Amino acid sequence: MWTCTGTLLDPVSPTCLDEENDMTAQTDTQGSVTAVYKVSGMSCGHCEGAVSGEISQLPGVSSVKAVATSGEVTVVSATALDEQAVRAAVDEAGFELVGRA
């Protein structure tokens, strides 16, 4: 697991899928799917980069935004991702996937 110190220079507010913070993926208008996951252990930009880098290698992923301050990782992909694949990618980065945000 990564251990980082310091603060983020440009924190981003967490993004919810809807007002109820639904735990299901949302299909975007362009046919892509957006899912938000909770990851434990991220504390800095390096952590965000490690998680984003691993998840971005999954087939169909078009963008990943990890936010250490909230522990949330927003993933946009062509189709819904297998949660086990996301879990394996997060594990490879040295962190733990808690589940959907």
Side-chain angles (χ1 to χ4, degrees):
M1 181 171 276
W2 291 98
T3 303
C4 303
T5 59
T7 60
L8 295 175
L9 297 177
D10 187 22
V12 178
S13 298
T15 303
C16 296
L17 292 176
D18 61 30
E19 291 178 8
E20 299 291 323
N21 200 18
D22 191 9
M23 291 184 60
T24 60
Q26 174 179 316
T27 303
D28 293 339
T29 56
Q30 297 105 348
S32 60
V33 176
T34 301
V36 182
Y37 299 94
K38 281 296 264 188
V39 173
S40 67
M42 293 190 300
S43 62
C44 67
H46 186 275
C47 301
E48 293 169 344
V51 170
S52 295
E54 290 296 331
I55 294 174
S56 68
Q57 293 179 32
L58 295 175
V61 172
S62 58
S63 74
V64 181
K65 177 68 177 173
V67 180
T69 55
S70 65
E72 291 188 347
V73 180
T74 303
V75 181
V76 179
S77 56
T79 60
L81 297 174
D82 176 60
E83 191 166 322
Q84 288 303 99
V86 176
R87 184 175 306 282
V90 171
D91 287 347
E92 185 66 27
F95 299 93
E96 180 184 354
L97 177 67
V98 176
R100 292 281 181 96

